Amino acid sequence: MPHLVLEVDPALWFLLSPRRRSPRFAVEVPGTDTVGHVVRMVGIPPTEVGPLRLDGRPAGLEARPTAAARPGTTPVLDVRPRRRPQPTRHTPPRFLLDVHLRPLARRLRLLGLDAAWEPDAEDAHLVERAAREERVLLTQDRGLLHRGALPEGALVRGEHADDQLADVLERFAPPLAPWTRCLRCGGPLVAASAEEVADQLLPRTRRAYREFSRCTGCGRAYWRGAHARRLDAVVARAEQVLAADPDG
């Protein structure tokens, strides 16, 4: 079986098995396999792959490495990570998060980003919805990102929601519009009078606050209560992340 040498950028080594975390390693490749098959086989989701070069020439995921090999030589595939900030099919980017990333979804919505999340969505539904609505599927499930029907996705880095948020902002550099979306459903917020949301307010809330907003989707009322300072800190950190990115 023909061999192929991979040169994988160190930024992607965490996706490889420990024995392959080196500047160069060889794999056996069936003649029918494409570059996309190869990167999946070694553990790298195609969504994380940026520029590819096969024997020094630009190559796409559909290229066949053995077909491009010169007689008597072993082809070399150079694999780089996605460039940041990463462009998306829809501008500004729209996101779809898997079931495990609810805290991240709430933070993205706080920043005014279109971030869909469904508590019981199965993998096939997520892939179909991401494709249909031109959403970037955000997940920490590598297997989900290997699905060929998924047009856009991203492996979210970080264990905690704040770290995950920083990773998404650095990767996509989306425009922010804090306090314009519902944290529960993601719908746009509009200004509302106390009378319009009276059924959701305690008497002391009506006495203490004058400015309210209401979700156009689920109808939930919002006001800048005791929780606002904590959420303001999330917004401030997000703005710092984007300001620190020279390309953002």
Side-chain angles (χ1 to χ4, degrees):
M1 187 178 294
H3 283 76
L4 173 68
V5 171
L6 271 71
E7 295 181 349
V8 179
D9 189 281
L12 296 173
W13 283 9
F14 77 100
L15 295 168
L16 303 173
S17 63
R19 66 186 177 88
R20 287 177 169 157
R21 293 173 186 171
S22 60
R24 291 167 62 95
F25 63 90
V27 294
E28 293 185 340
V29 180
T32 56
D33 274 9
T34 64
V35 168
H37 289 127
V38 174
V39 297
R40 287 185 177 93
M41 182 265 293
V42 300
I44 305 174
T47 59
E48 307 310 295
V49 172
L52 292 163
R53 298 188 72 85
L54 186 58
D55 281 342
R57 299 178 180 178
L61 292 171
E62 72 286 348
R64 296 185 186 275
T66 55
R70 296 185 296 273
T73 66
T74 300
V76 177
L77 178 64
D78 181 25
V79 183
R80 305 284 177 132
R82 287 272 188 171
R83 295 189 180 100
R84 297 190 177 202
Q86 177 181 326
T88 56
R89 296 188 179 192
H90 188 276
T91 304
R94 295 188 292 210
F95 300 106
L96 175 61
L97 291 81
D98 75 13
V99 65
H100 303 291
L101 295 179
R102 184 187 182 194
L104 175 59
R106 289 175 61 85
R107 283 165 172 77
L108 291 172
R109 291 169 177 173
L110 172 66
L111 298 175
L113 300 174
D114 188 342
W117 177 84
E118 298 179 51
D120 302 314
E122 297 184 353
D123 289 357
H125 172 75
L126 289 172
V127 172
E128 186 276 331
R129 182 176 180 184
R132 172 168 42 87
E133 299 181 3
E134 292 189 329
R135 293 182 180 272
V136 180
L137 179 57
L138 302 180
T139 181
Q140 293 191 316
D141 181 351
R142 300 185 198 179
L144 187 52
L145 296 177
H146 281 290
R147 295 196 172 211
L150 178 66
E152 290 186 290
L155 184 68
V156 177
R157 323 286 172 87
E159 295 184 13
H160 305 291
D162 288 337
D163 296 329
Q164 295 166 358
L165 177 61
D167 178 60
V168 172
L169 295 178
E170 290 171 355
R171 180 159 179 170
F172 297 100
L176 306 185
W179 304 99
T180 60
R181 286 188 178 272
C182 176
L183 301 186
R184 181 166 63 185
C185 76
L189 301 182
V190 295
S193 66
E195 290 72 24
E196 290 176 305
V197 294
D199 61 329
Q200 300 183 53
L201 305 179
L202 295 174
R204 64 174 179 271
T205 302
R206 294 194 64 175
R207 291 193 299 269
Y209 301 97
R210 293 292 181 270
E211 295 184 357
F212 301 91
S213 57
R214 177 178 52 82
C215 175
T216 57
C218 67
R220 183 177 184 180
Y222 287 88
W223 60 93
R224 294 186 63 81
H227 60 288
R229 182 174 299 179
R230 176 176 58 84
L231 298 180
D232 278 338
V234 175
V235 173
R237 285 194 298 270
E239 292 173 339
Q240 290 172 0
V241 168
L242 292 180
D245 182 0
D247 297 319

